[in-house]
Amino acid sequence: MNNALPSWNPGASKSAILDFVARVSDTDGADFVPTEERIATFDNDGTLWCEQPMQVQVFFAQHRLEQLAAKDPSMRERQPYKAFLERDVRTLAALGKKGLFEIAMTTHANLTTDEFDEDVRSWFSATKHPKLGRPFTECVYRPQLELLDFLRANGFKTFIVSGGGVDFMRPFAQAIYGIPPEQVIGSSMKTRFEFRDGQPVLVKLPELGSFDDRDAKPENIFLHIGRKPILAFGNSDGDLPMLRYTKGGKGPSLALVLHHDDAEREFTYDRDFLLSPLADALDHANAYGIGLVSMKHDWKDVF
Amino acid sequence: MNNALPSWNPGASKSAILDFVARVSDTDGADFVPTEERIATFDNDGTLWCEQPMQVQVFFAQHRLEQLAAKDPSMRERQPYKAFLERDVRTLAALGKKGLFEIAMTTHANLTTDEFDEDVRSWFSATKHPKLGRPFTECVYRPQLELLDFLRANGFKTFIVSGGGVDFMRPFAQAIYGIPPEQVIGSSMKTRFEFRDGQPVLVKLPELGSFDDRDAKPENIFLHIGRKPILAFGNSDGDLPMLRYTKGGKGPSLALVLHHDDAEREFTYDRDFLLSPLADALDHANAYGIGLVSMKHDWKDVF
């Protein structure tokens, strides 16, 4: 284990992780957890990859709205589409995170899930982060990739539990995180099974299935996984119910929050990020038994 | 492979399975499928275990209603509870499969998911099948257990996709089928995250989340798994959308339906079983590309 997590600086966070994994893996110890119960859940936006200046899916929605507005230019003058197209963060933030994602996801209504998948893949391969200047799929945090690998090497099953669209995340989750589609939980629109040109397809509907944020995270963990995680990692109050659920009950557990306090290498934000603030979890981390991970101090490398 | 599936008689069904698994496993063949895409989905009631004279969950609901009626005897005279308590199959069938399961699942509203899990486990250990005279968990089909094992030994990931309650099936799915909780998809009631006595819990609500039957099966496969299965196995028209979804698109696929035609060793039923008929899939199996498995002829042993 001495060579594990090379992009993590020595310190309380790294020690807490190494110690936790050692304890649950020690077959003779009091905290041993069988491998099938070693469930680890990670938020995505701001936890595994960069969510600034806006969540990646907002850029993706903007791309889709550009396609739609090319056919119907009046959309450029109508809210909330205008705000997406103009990256008007203040107006977008006023929609709230749920409203924002719901509109973003609705822009692909009536496509089949295969068509949507195709659109996601081609967009990712053609688009770069506006500030970091490289593909979004390269804006992932290296320490977290190491942590995912380290957990899996120690018998953990790793899941994403994110407010992002489940079908938006799946096309890249395997490639960049090593997480297969069936271990991705996210927000979802309802779909309808039907036949098009004689082929069975699933069509995306403009109707929200689940917005996977706050209380919906433990609820969806129960629905999809059916076990309480023993490790959870987030970065906002939207993750707090998942983190507190993980800390509940008996047995060893580890809940961590990434604090974006590194203006030089990434971005600095917490309670001021309107789309997904970190305040309650920051103010009461101790009381909740949650460990704060400082990007600035705990990470040797970020990307 | 010559020793595989010993409880299956030689014949078209067994050959179709062995041939299919050989083809998708042959790295040099045109039909090779990478292991991560080898998704197999199985219905539960009537496909993996016995669903006669009624689905197991109906007996479980009856047990719960007995508890509730002990406190409120008026339930014994009120429909639909009266029908459950008296095992009045005709009245239950009139509720439809969805209505029946929804009522059954609502009987546990307001329990936490942990309390529910406890109740399921203790009920299973205390209860026997009314006709077969042994625990329900021993009313599973041996040929199917062999098939699940055989598929997993060949790199498949096996899932249950059933109309049964997801949290009703999970406590036994690992033990009897070797299928972990996160690979069980079923009907679900909504839950609410809250704190009771300072502990985070999920409370079962009397509100249907999803009734996992017919079109909902492929829709939930997309939501939970995010990939099209390459093998699906069912036994009623409620499985038909899942089977046809599996047969759609490119690449090799196998869809099978179990036909209950063995009065001597199990039960004989198909289009006459009101709660879950097999008619369309039986009449059009060829046109749909679905293989019919005869319990009587294809299975050497049943239990």
Side-chain angles (χ1 to χ4, degrees), chain A residues 2-69:
Chain A
N2 285 334
N3 300 321
L5 308 180
S7 299
W8 288 70
N9 285 320
S13 293
K14 183 171 182 173
S15 295
I17 294 169
L18 294 177
D19 172 66
F20 179 73
V21 172
R23 280 191 291 123
V24 302
S25 308
D26 176 6
T27 48
D28 296 327
D31 283 344
F32 174 71
V33 176
T35 51
E36 63 268 26
E37 294 172 21
R38 293 185 204 162
I39 301 291
T41 55
F42 285 76
D43 171 57
N44 184 42
D45 294 312
T47 298
L48 294 178
W49 75 0
C50 183
E51 66 176 346
Q52 293 293 347
M54 291 185 290
Q55 282 93 351
V56 179
Q57 199 157 357
V58 181
F59 292 105
F60 178 66
Q62 185 182 28
H63 136 85
R64 175 64 178 170
L65 284 165
E66 286 290 355
Q67 292 177 339
L68 298 175

Side-chain angles (χ1 to χ4, degrees), chain B residues 121-221:
Chain B
R121 289 174 196 273
S122 70
W123 181 76
F124 269 111
S125 67
T127 314
K128 289 181 174 168
H129 188 288
K131 288 201 174 174
L132 299 175
R134 56 181 184 271
F136 286 108
T137 48
E138 291 171 25
C139 301
V140 301
Y141 305 131
R142 183 187 299 195
Q144 300 292 58
L145 297 181
E146 291 172 3
L147 178 56
L148 289 169
D149 279 340
F150 176 66
L151 291 172
R152 289 190 289 254
N154 284 280
F156 281 76
K157 206 164 184 175
T158 54
F159 289 81
I160 290 174
V161 180
S162 168
V166 66
D167 48 357
F168 176 71
M169 297 184 287
R170 279 174 172 153
F172 61 82
Q174 177 77 64
I176 69 178
Y177 302 135
I179 296 180
E182 62 271 24
Q183 287 161 227
V184 177
I185 300 167
S187 297
S188 57
M189 304 303 277
K190 293 190 175 177
T191 60
R192 184 181 58 231
F193 179 72
E194 65 178 50
F195 288 82
R196 285 189 178 178
D197 300 326
Q199 278 293 318
V201 295
L202 292 161
V203 175
K204 288 172 72 72
L205 302 180
E207 188 184 347
L208 189 66
S210 169
F211 181 60
D212 191 41
D213 195 41
R214 297 195 178 255
D215 289 1
K217 289 203 175 196
E219 290 159 11
N220 278 327
I221 286 171

